[in-house]
């Protein structure tokens, strides 16, 4: 197991994967389970992880992804989706493990906050799935795999291929496997001074 700061510092987006590598089921399950533990607003857990195991479907998705090889070569391809209406689907169940009073109070807050606010509903789903994406990537690293976050694809075409429900959005892919090529030169990071703002923008 790689420690978390090393995994963060050493992670790179893999451009090619070894297509012969099979991730054992128990390991893939552990990686997906780590994604499931990511935080979400009001614990709504909007994310849905579509694992593309069918090789024919992978081919079709690759064709809709500007032919990017990771889509087919990755040992696991996860299409992260957001159920943007999850907030309205029996919200008390997101607090099922908490005392009944909390369940009722959260269900009512959820309804108040999301009702009629379509943009916010969508934004929250995207935010949550983004959290899960990085959790999946770090969990993959902990298990000795590399990953690539991806949004270079035709969202509408991929939605059709996976039968995306009307009230869901595709957020991104996370491709996981064993890196099989030298990483391309890195673009570099902006300095911390430009990234971090104290108190207010000037
Ligand atoms: C939302 C998102 C979408 C991305 N889409 C792609 C993609 O479609 N194909 C690809 O090869 N890399 C993709 N990347 C990887 C970025 O190019 C890469 O993370 C960035 O250049 C920084 O490099 P590093 O991850 O190796 O540090 C994506 C990254 C993010 C966060």
């Amino acid at each position: 197991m790689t420690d978390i700061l090393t995994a963060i510092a050493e992670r790179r987006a893999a451009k090619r994967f070894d297509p012969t590598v099979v991730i054992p089921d128990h390991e893939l399950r552990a990686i997906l389970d780590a994604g499931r533990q990511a935080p979400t607003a009001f614990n709504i857990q909007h994310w849905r992880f579509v694992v593309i195991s069918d090789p024919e479907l992978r081919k079709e998705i690759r064709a809709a992804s500007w032919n990017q090889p990771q889509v087919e070569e990755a040992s696991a391809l996860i299409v992260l989706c957001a159920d943007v209406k999850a907030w309205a689907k029996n919200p008390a169940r997101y607090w099922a493990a908490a005392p009944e009073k909390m369940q009722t109070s959260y269900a009512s807050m959820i309804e108040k906050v999301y009702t009629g606010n379509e943009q916010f509903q969508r934004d929250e789903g995207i935010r949550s799935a983004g959290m899960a994406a990085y959790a999946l990537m770090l969990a993959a690293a902990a298990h000795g795999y590399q990953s690539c976050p991806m949004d270079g694809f035709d969202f509408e075409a991929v939605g059709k291929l996976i039968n995306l429900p009307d009230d869901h959005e595709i957020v991104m892919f996370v491709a996981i496997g064993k890196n099989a090529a030298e990483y391309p030169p890195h673009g570099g990071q902006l300095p911390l001074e430009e990234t971090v703002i104290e108190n207010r923008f000037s």
Side-chain angles (χ1 to χ4, degrees), residues 1 20 56 58 61 72 74 125 131 154 165 178 196 202:
M1 290 273 169
T20 66
E56 276 311 307
R58 286 274 198 113
I61 295 178
E72 242 188 313
M131 302 289 285
D154 179 334
K178 291 275 184 190
V196 179
S202 52

Side-chain angles (χ1 to χ4, degrees), residues 9-185:
E10 292 184 351
R11 185 211 55 78
R12 292 292 314 276
K15 305 294 172 183
R16 303 298 302 257
F17 291 104
D18 177 348
T20 66
V21 171
V22 176
I23 303 180
D25 275 352
H26 72 275
E27 240 174 23
L28 182 58
R29 214 182 144 74
I31 293 168
L32 292 165
D33 199 49
R36 191 175 68 93
Q37 288 169 50
T40 52
F42 294 106
N43 201 38
I44 288 176
Q45 302 162 70
H46 321 61
W47 15 249
R48 300 291 176 263
F49 309 146
V50 184
V51 180
I52 311 294
S53 53
D54 174 0
E56 276 311 307
L57 185 54
R58 286 274 198 113
K59 263 198 188 70
E60 291 175 296
I61 295 178
R62 178 177 178 168
S65 308
W66 329 133
N67 201 32
Q68 295 194 74
Q70 300 101 313
V71 171
E72 242 188 313
E73 292 174 353
S75 308
L77 180 72
I78 302 156
V79 180
L80 273 95
C81 302
D83 179 351
V84 298
K85 295 294 178 198
W87 65 273
K89 297 174 182 170
N90 184 16
R93 73 197 174 104
Y94 309 129
W95 290 88
E100 208 181 320
K101 219 171 142 194
M102 271 180 92
Q103 255 186 62
T104 321
S105 128
Y106 268 96
S108 131
M109 272 193 284
I110 288 169
E111 207 190 327
K112 250 188 227 121
V113 168
Y114 291 92
T115 301
N117 199 343
E118 305 279 325
Q119 172 79 48
F120 190 60
Q121 292 168 20
R122 186 176 184 280
D123 290 350
E124 291 274 86
I126 306 279
R127 272 191 278 274
S128 299
M131 302 289 285
Y134 199 35
L136 290 168
M137 290 164 63
L138 292 179
H143 285 274
Y145 298 99
Q146 291 73 46
S147 62
C148 188
M150 303 179 76
D151 68 2
F153 56 86
D154 179 334
F155 281 65
E156 211 180 307
V158 174
K160 283 198 181 108
L161 287 169
I162 64 165
N163 296 336
L164 186 76
D166 284 346
D167 58 1
H168 286 50
E169 295 275 346
I170 294 182
V171 178
M172 64 197 295
F173 299 167
V174 172
I176 298 171
K178 291 275 184 190
N179 179 51
E182 232 175 84
Y183 294 117

